[in-house]
Amino acid sequence: MREKLQSFNRYLKIFFESLKLFWKASPLYTTILMIVIPVQGFLPSILINYSSKLVNGASVGFSEASMLVILLLWASLNFFNNICNPINMTIQGLLTDKLIGYINLSLMNKSKDIKGLEHFENPDFYDDLKMIEEEAVWRPVNLMVFGTSLIKNIILISSMLVLLASFHPVIALVMLISVVPHSLISYKLQQDAFETMVTRNPDARKLQYYSSVLLSNENAKETRLFNNFNFFINKYKETFNFIHGDIKKLRFKQLFISIFFILISCILSFLSFAWIIVEISKGHLGVGSILVFSSTILYATQGISAMIEESSLLYDTLLYMEKFFKFMALRNNIYVDGKKKLPKDFNNIEFKDLSFSYPNSERVALNNINLAINKGEKIAIVGENGSGKSTLVKLLCRFYEAQKGDIFIDDTNLKDYDLDDYRSSIGAVFQDFSKFSLSIRENIAISNIKELENTKLIEDAIKKGGFSKTFEKLNCNLNQILGKQFKDGTELSGGEWQKLATSRAFMVDSEILILDEPTAALDARSEYEVYQQFLELVENKTVLFITHRLSAVKMADKVVALKDGEILEIGSHEELINKKGYYYELYTMQAEAYV
Ligand code: ADP
């Protein structure tokens, strides 16, 4: 019981926290709702009172004038009561739109604050985040509709209970007592249903994946060639039945429990009504009491069942809101308080005793890395898959915090540099570079968005990044939308996207440039040309490039050969070839393949 109360308190807190969001989304609309909702809750009981006055007046023969006054008062209140509904609906609609915008913008702004990658790669967190993001379009609607209706019904039920208590306090008490267990049980069942959905959330994502495999163009070729539709359809069915089996049971349980409690409250209403009729026949109560009692019971029972339904539906939404608040309270797990500006003419970068394991992974991705790079040097990082090459450059971008050791630039720990300023001096093209469904202009200027209108700079970047030929072939302007997501978008080939992504690197006057094997989509000759051109154009910059094709490596000043997260060899291409060690082994293996 104590546990239940605690969790009830927790949800009450989230409910009030969520209501604060209404205010933040629009103080004006929230104020109007704060007036309209209590009026809607209170007016019915006042109306019932006036109706009963009319009935009693007619039965005992009030004067015409006083009957008219009561009737007019009743009519005006009735008008107010009815007009509240459309006002409430309109304001709710307007406020919901604002709330959806507010919640989604809060999420986007929060993402801006999370500077590292760790959260996004944690599967549990990612499941929650996907759910928060996907449901952010409709959860606020539920919050608004059920939240406001719940408040209205609580006021309505309270005022009806006060009316019932005016007959006899026991009647109000009995009605109240029949509500509490019903609400608690519904609340518990809804909690179970939600938890089944959420703890099974990875399965829910699988469902979505299976259907998308058959419906997306990405897999259209292979699904048709292998004719594996039924395979995915069956997988979908299995997962669907697994998820929905338990929930179905819970829903039926909820139905039977509701029927049981409704039966009890109907019997109690019947007994109370019988008592009232006896009291009227004894002359203790006026005939108007029949009207008051029947209307009050009707309002109260309808209000109660609406409240139970809404509070259990709201429960889902509050669990969603809890995840939302949790995301909003997330803290950076990389150090972000550095203040220093990176000097443009720094002398060197130094990795000192750096060791790193990915969160949620036992494996050491980098082990005791010591590496000094002078400004302007071109560094090739080589090694087999999984040897830690990408991890090394990701740490240089400060996407993670190393568990041991540090990186220094001119003897200043990287952590002490202002993170945004530092990142703005890095140009990078990653293996999995982004393909934005935006215009060519935006796609290129995205790395330095303040230059969006600088057509000359963008055209220059297109030239340097090797995208010119494609741009001419497309015979379009910079406003051409790319990708197939939106109407009139044009799709590029992998190699063309890669050149566009490389062009991005030239939008920024970066001191440090990183190429993390963005050339996978190119053939060996094109790759060689890309690197050659790239390295010529960035003569004074410090460049770290990762490549599998060792022909490009010859252009580097220094080669760093990694194996299992450790640096095995550092030296120029010639030095390492002469050494006849690991690099030599890799190089000859590839050369033989070409011969
Ligand atoms: P490379 O770039 O040399 O192919 P990576 O630096 O990507 O290698 O990976 C080094 C090791 O870290 C590999 O064992 C890889 O499986 C692991 N790893 C890479 N990225 C992640 C991640 N986000 N989470 C957990 N482990 C990762």
Side-chain angles (χ1 to χ4, degrees), residues 23-50:
W23 181 262
K24 286 183 187 157
S26 166
L28 174 69
Y29 296 149
T30 309
T31 312
I32 302 178
L33 278 188
M34 272 161 49
I35 298 169
V36 175
I37 291 171
V39 169
Q40 276 189 303
F42 280 121
L43 269 184
S45 59
I46 301 175
L47 271 172
I48 291 175
N49 238 328
Y50 276 98

mmCIF file of all heavy atoms in Angstrom, residues 23-50:
data_model
loop_
_atom_site.group_PDB
_atom_site.id
_atom_site.type_symbol
_atom_site.label_atom_id
_atom_site.label_comp_id
_atom_site.label_asym_id
_atom_site.label_seq_id
_atom_site.Cartn_x
_atom_site.Cartn_y
_atom_site.Cartn_z
ATOM 1 N N TRP A 23 1.605 26.115 -19.217
ATOM 2 C CA TRP A 23 1.866 27.526 -18.964
ATOM 3 C C TRP A 23 3.036 28.014 -19.813
ATOM 4 O O TRP A 23 2.997 29.074 -20.422
ATOM 5 C CB TRP A 23 2.146 27.732 -17.464
ATOM 6 C CG TRP A 23 2.409 29.161 -17.113
ATOM 7 C CD1 TRP A 23 3.627 29.757 -16.952
ATOM 8 C CD2 TRP A 23 1.435 30.187 -16.914
ATOM 9 N NE1 TRP A 23 3.477 31.068 -16.668
ATOM 10 C CE2 TRP A 23 2.138 31.373 -16.635
ATOM 11 C CE3 TRP A 23 0.036 30.225 -16.941
ATOM 12 C CZ2 TRP A 23 1.488 32.583 -16.380
ATOM 13 C CZ3 TRP A 23 -0.601 31.436 -16.687
ATOM 14 C CH2 TRP A 23 0.120 32.590 -16.414
ATOM 15 N N LYS A 24 4.094 27.175 -19.859
ATOM 16 C CA LYS A 24 5.279 27.575 -20.632
ATOM 17 C C LYS A 24 4.941 27.676 -22.116
ATOM 18 O O LYS A 24 5.478 28.516 -22.828
ATOM 19 C CB LYS A 24 6.424 26.578 -20.424
ATOM 20 C CG LYS A 24 7.059 26.726 -19.053
ATOM 21 C CD LYS A 24 8.233 25.790 -18.909
ATOM 22 C CE LYS A 24 8.752 25.820 -17.486
ATOM 23 N NZ LYS A 24 9.475 24.615 -17.133
ATOM 24 N N ALA A 25 4.044 26.783 -22.583
ATOM 25 C CA ALA A 25 3.694 26.804 -24.014
ATOM 26 C C ALA A 25 2.855 28.033 -24.339
ATOM 27 O O ALA A 25 3.047 28.651 -25.390
ATOM 28 C CB ALA A 25 2.954 25.534 -24.391
ATOM 29 N N SER A 26 1.921 28.403 -23.476
ATOM 30 C CA SER A 26 1.146 29.621 -23.714
ATOM 31 C C SER A 26 0.441 30.085 -22.431
ATOM 32 O O SER A 26 -0.581 29.518 -22.034
ATOM 33 C CB SER A 26 0.102 29.387 -24.810
ATOM 34 O OG SER A 26 -0.828 30.455 -24.789
ATOM 35 N N PRO A 27 0.953 31.129 -21.803
ATOM 36 C CA PRO A 27 0.330 31.629 -20.563
ATOM 37 C C PRO A 27 -1.111 32.102 -20.813
ATOM 38 O O PRO A 27 -1.986 31.871 -19.978
ATOM 39 C CB PRO A 27 1.222 32.797 -20.159
ATOM 40 C CG PRO A 27 2.500 32.584 -20.867
ATOM 41 C CD PRO A 27 2.188 31.837 -22.122
ATOM 42 N N LEU A 28 -1.361 32.705 -21.979
ATOM 43 C CA LEU A 28 -2.695 33.251 -22.248
ATOM 44 C C LEU A 28 -3.740 32.131 -22.303
ATOM 45 O O LEU A 28 -4.753 32.156 -21.587
ATOM 46 C CB LEU A 28 -2.683 34.032 -23.570
ATOM 47 C CG LEU A 28 -4.061 34.514 -24.022
ATOM 48 C CD1 LEU A 28 -4.578 35.619 -23.087
ATOM 49 C CD2 LEU A 28 -4.024 35.030 -25.462
ATOM 50 N N TYR A 29 -3.493 31.135 -23.173
ATOM 51 C CA TYR A 29 -4.468 30.042 -23.320
ATOM 52 C C TYR A 29 -4.638 29.285 -22.002
ATOM 53 O O TYR A 29 -5.738 28.842 -21.666
ATOM 54 C CB TYR A 29 -4.043 29.072 -24.427
ATOM 55 C CG TYR A 29 -4.001 29.699 -25.812
ATOM 56 C CD1 TYR A 29 -3.105 29.266 -26.778
ATOM 57 C CD2 TYR A 29 -4.883 30.730 -26.141
ATOM 58 C CE1 TYR A 29 -3.069 29.837 -28.039
ATOM 59 C CE2 TYR A 29 -4.845 31.306 -27.410
ATOM 60 C CZ TYR A 29 -3.936 30.864 -28.353
ATOM 61 O OH TYR A 29 -3.904 31.423 -29.591
ATOM 62 N N THR A 30 -3.531 29.120 -21.290
ATOM 63 C CA THR A 30 -3.623 28.393 -20.016
ATOM 64 C C THR A 30 -4.511 29.156 -19.043
ATOM 65 O O THR A 30 -5.336 28.561 -18.343
ATOM 66 C CB THR A 30 -2.218 28.185 -19.423
ATOM 67 O OG1 THR A 30 -1.400 27.615 -20.431
ATOM 68 C CG2 THR A 30 -2.247 27.255 -18.232
ATOM 69 N N THR A 31 -4.374 30.490 -19.007
ATOM 70 C CA THR A 31 -5.211 31.300 -18.109
ATOM 71 C C THR A 31 -6.682 31.119 -18.474
ATOM 72 O O THR A 31 -7.524 30.929 -17.592
ATOM 73 C CB THR A 31 -4.832 32.798 -18.228
ATOM 74 O OG1 THR A 31 -3.416 32.885 -18.139
ATOM 75 C CG2 THR A 31 -5.475 33.623 -17.136
ATOM 76 N N ILE A 32 -6.988 31.164 -19.768
ATOM 77 C CA ILE A 32 -8.398 31.004 -20.167
ATOM 78 C C ILE A 32 -8.914 29.642 -19.700
ATOM 79 O O ILE A 32 -9.998 29.536 -19.128
ATOM 80 C CB ILE A 32 -8.562 31.154 -21.703
ATOM 81 C CG1 ILE A 32 -8.043 32.535 -22.134
ATOM 82 C CG2 ILE A 32 -10.019 30.976 -22.118
ATOM 83 C CD1 ILE A 32 -8.096 32.792 -23.619
ATOM 84 N N LEU A 33 -8.086 28.597 -19.915
ATOM 85 C CA LEU A 33 -8.525 27.256 -19.483
ATOM 86 C C LEU A 33 -8.720 27.197 -17.979
ATOM 87 O O LEU A 33 -9.646 26.557 -17.480
ATOM 88 C CB LEU A 33 -7.489 26.205 -19.892
ATOM 89 C CG LEU A 33 -7.542 25.700 -21.322
ATOM 90 C CD1 LEU A 33 -6.573 24.529 -21.496
ATOM 91 C CD2 LEU A 33 -8.946 25.239 -21.701
ATOM 92 N N MET A 34 -7.847 27.911 -17.250
ATOM 93 C CA MET A 34 -7.945 27.888 -15.784
ATOM 94 C C MET A 34 -9.240 28.534 -15.310
ATOM 95 O O MET A 34 -9.682 28.315 -14.181
ATOM 96 C CB MET A 34 -6.722 28.584 -15.162
ATOM 97 C CG MET A 34 -5.563 27.603 -14.964
ATOM 98 S SD MET A 34 -3.942 28.360 -14.769
ATOM 99 C CE MET A 34 -4.216 29.588 -13.554
ATOM 100 N N ILE A 35 -9.844 29.355 -16.151
ATOM 101 C CA ILE A 35 -11.138 29.949 -15.791
ATOM 102 C C ILE A 35 -12.280 29.035 -16.266
ATOM 103 O O ILE A 35 -13.210 28.740 -15.519
ATOM 104 C CB ILE A 35 -11.280 31.349 -16.430
ATOM 105 C CG1 ILE A 35 -10.176 32.269 -15.878
ATOM 106 C CG2 ILE A 35 -12.663 31.943 -16.152
ATOM 107 C CD1 ILE A 35 -10.035 33.571 -16.615
ATOM 108 N N VAL A 36 -12.163 28.579 -17.522
ATOM 109 C CA VAL A 36 -13.273 27.823 -18.120
ATOM 110 C C VAL A 36 -13.493 26.473 -17.427
ATOM 111 O O VAL A 36 -14.639 26.084 -17.162
ATOM 112 C CB VAL A 36 -13.020 27.604 -19.638
ATOM 113 C CG1 VAL A 36 -14.094 26.724 -20.246
ATOM 114 C CG2 VAL A 36 -12.970 28.936 -20.352
ATOM 115 N N ILE A 37 -12.391 25.781 -17.099
ATOM 116 C CA ILE A 37 -12.547 24.416 -16.566
ATOM 117 C C ILE A 37 -13.283 24.388 -15.212
ATOM 118 O O ILE A 37 -14.252 23.642 -15.062
ATOM 119 C CB ILE A 37 -11.180 23.702 -16.511
ATOM 120 C CG1 ILE A 37 -10.726 23.434 -17.943
ATOM 121 C CG2 ILE A 37 -11.271 22.377 -15.761
ATOM 122 C CD1 ILE A 37 -9.320 22.942 -18.055
ATOM 123 N N PRO A 38 -12.879 25.209 -14.235
ATOM 124 C CA PRO A 38 -13.638 25.186 -12.972
ATOM 125 C C PRO A 38 -15.100 25.585 -13.177
ATOM 126 O O PRO A 38 -15.989 24.997 -12.554
ATOM 127 C CB PRO A 38 -12.920 26.215 -12.099
ATOM 128 C CG PRO A 38 -11.576 26.363 -12.691
ATOM 129 C CD PRO A 38 -11.702 26.086 -14.143
ATOM 130 N N VAL A 39 -15.345 26.535 -14.084
ATOM 131 C CA VAL A 39 -16.735 26.936 -14.342
ATOM 132 C C VAL A 39 -17.516 25.717 -14.842
ATOM 133 O O VAL A 39 -18.624 25.429 -14.380
ATOM 134 C CB VAL A 39 -16.783 28.091 -15.377
ATOM 135 C CG1 VAL A 39 -18.209 28.333 -15.847
ATOM 136 C CG2 VAL A 39 -16.205 29.366 -14.769
ATOM 137 N N GLN A 40 -16.892 24.977 -15.767
ATOM 138 C CA GLN A 40 -17.555 23.769 -16.291
ATOM 139 C C GLN A 40 -17.803 22.731 -15.203
ATOM 140 O O GLN A 40 -18.787 22.008 -15.245
ATOM 141 C CB GLN A 40 -16.673 23.120 -17.369
ATOM 142 C CG GLN A 40 -16.863 23.728 -18.730
ATOM 143 C CD GLN A 40 -16.139 22.891 -19.765
ATOM 144 O OE1 GLN A 40 -14.930 22.675 -19.652
ATOM 145 N NE2 GLN A 40 -16.869 22.431 -20.757
ATOM 146 N N GLY A 41 -16.881 22.689 -14.246
ATOM 147 C CA GLY A 41 -17.030 21.717 -13.163
ATOM 148 C C GLY A 41 -18.135 22.101 -12.187
ATOM 149 O O GLY A 41 -18.872 21.248 -11.696
ATOM 150 N N PHE A 42 -18.250 23.395 -11.907
ATOM 151 C CA PHE A 42 -19.195 23.854 -10.873
ATOM 152 C C PHE A 42 -20.608 24.091 -11.382
ATOM 153 O O PHE A 42 -21.573 23.884 -10.652
ATOM 154 C CB PHE A 42 -18.690 25.157 -10.228
ATOM 155 C CG PHE A 42 -17.637 24.905 -9.181
ATOM 156 C CD1 PHE A 42 -16.370 25.466 -9.288
ATOM 157 C CD2 PHE A 42 -17.931 24.100 -8.078
ATOM 158 C CE1 PHE A 42 -15.403 25.222 -8.321
ATOM 159 C CE2 PHE A 42 -16.973 23.862 -7.108
ATOM 160 C CZ PHE A 42 -15.705 24.421 -7.227
ATOM 161 N N LEU A 43 -20.717 24.586 -12.634
ATOM 162 C CA LEU A 43 -22.038 25.012 -13.101
ATOM 163 C C LEU A 43 -23.139 23.944 -13.028
ATOM 164 O O LEU A 43 -24.254 24.258 -12.611
ATOM 165 C CB LEU A 43 -21.944 25.569 -14.524
ATOM 166 C CG LEU A 43 -21.711 27.085 -14.583
ATOM 167 C CD1 LEU A 43 -21.731 27.560 -16.023
ATOM 168 C CD2 LEU A 43 -22.762 27.852 -13.783
ATOM 169 N N PRO A 44 -22.862 22.676 -13.388
ATOM 170 C CA PRO A 44 -23.950 21.697 -13.343
ATOM 171 C C PRO A 44 -24.621 21.619 -11.972
ATOM 172 O O PRO A 44 -25.849 21.555 -11.879
ATOM 173 C CB PRO A 44 -23.265 20.377 -13.695
ATOM 174 C CG PRO A 44 -22.110 20.789 -14.523
ATOM 175 C CD PRO A 44 -21.644 22.089 -13.957
ATOM 176 N N SER A 45 -23.813 21.656 -10.869
ATOM 177 C CA SER A 45 -24.442 21.527 -9.551
ATOM 178 C C SER A 45 -25.321 22.749 -9.260
ATOM 179 O O SER A 45 -26.406 22.629 -8.677
ATOM 180 C CB SER A 45 -23.384 21.324 -8.468
ATOM 181 O OG SER A 45 -22.515 22.420 -8.465
ATOM 182 N N ILE A 46 -24.879 23.929 -9.711
ATOM 183 C CA ILE A 46 -25.693 25.145 -9.491
ATOM 184 C C ILE A 46 -26.985 25.045 -10.313
ATOM 185 O O ILE A 46 -28.076 25.362 -9.830
ATOM 186 C CB ILE A 46 -24.887 26.405 -9.871
ATOM 187 C CG1 ILE A 46 -23.606 26.452 -9.015
ATOM 188 C CG2 ILE A 46 -25.703 27.679 -9.668
ATOM 189 C CD1 ILE A 46 -22.652 27.553 -9.357
ATOM 190 N N LEU A 47 -26.842 24.538 -11.551
ATOM 191 C CA LEU A 47 -28.026 24.384 -12.415
ATOM 192 C C LEU A 47 -29.047 23.434 -11.792
ATOM 193 O O LEU A 47 -30.255 23.702 -11.799
ATOM 194 C CB LEU A 47 -27.597 23.827 -13.780
ATOM 195 C CG LEU A 47 -27.208 24.881 -14.812
ATOM 196 C CD1 LEU A 47 -26.613 24.204 -16.036
ATOM 197 C CD2 LEU A 47 -28.429 25.712 -15.225
ATOM 198 N N ILE A 48 -28.531 22.333 -11.240
ATOM 199 C CA ILE A 48 -29.435 21.349 -10.610
ATOM 200 C C ILE A 48 -30.204 22.020 -9.468
ATOM 201 O O ILE A 48 -31.417 21.860 -9.311
ATOM 202 C CB ILE A 48 -28.634 20.142 -10.069
ATOM 203 C CG1 ILE A 48 -28.067 19.335 -11.232
ATOM 204 C CG2 ILE A 48 -29.509 19.247 -9.192
ATOM 205 C CD1 ILE A 48 -27.160 18.203 -10.803
ATOM 206 N N ASN A 49 -29.450 22.836 -8.704
ATOM 207 C CA ASN A 49 -30.080 23.544 -7.581
ATOM 208 C C ASN A 49 -31.229 24.432 -8.038
ATOM 209 O O ASN A 49 -32.300 24.443 -7.443
ATOM 210 C CB ASN A 49 -29.021 24.410 -6.894
ATOM 211 C CG ASN A 49 -28.910 24.006 -5.447
ATOM 212 O OD1 ASN A 49 -29.916 23.589 -4.857
ATOM 213 N ND2 ASN A 49 -27.714 24.125 -4.895
ATOM 214 N N TYR A 50 -30.965 25.158 -9.135
ATOM 215 C CA TYR A 50 -32.020 26.052 -9.645
ATOM 216 C C TYR A 50 -33.197 25.260 -10.200
ATOM 217 O O TYR A 50 -34.359 25.644 -10.007
ATOM 218 C CB TYR A 50 -31.460 27.013 -10.701
ATOM 219 C CG TYR A 50 -30.834 28.227 -10.061
ATOM 220 C CD1 TYR A 50 -29.469 28.317 -9.863
ATOM 221 C CD2 TYR A 50 -31.637 29.292 -9.609
ATOM 222 C CE1 TYR A 50 -28.899 29.405 -9.254
ATOM 223 C CE2 TYR A 50 -31.076 30.387 -8.994
ATOM 224 C CZ TYR A 50 -29.699 30.449 -8.811
ATOM 225 O OH TYR A 50 -29.157 31.533 -8.198
#
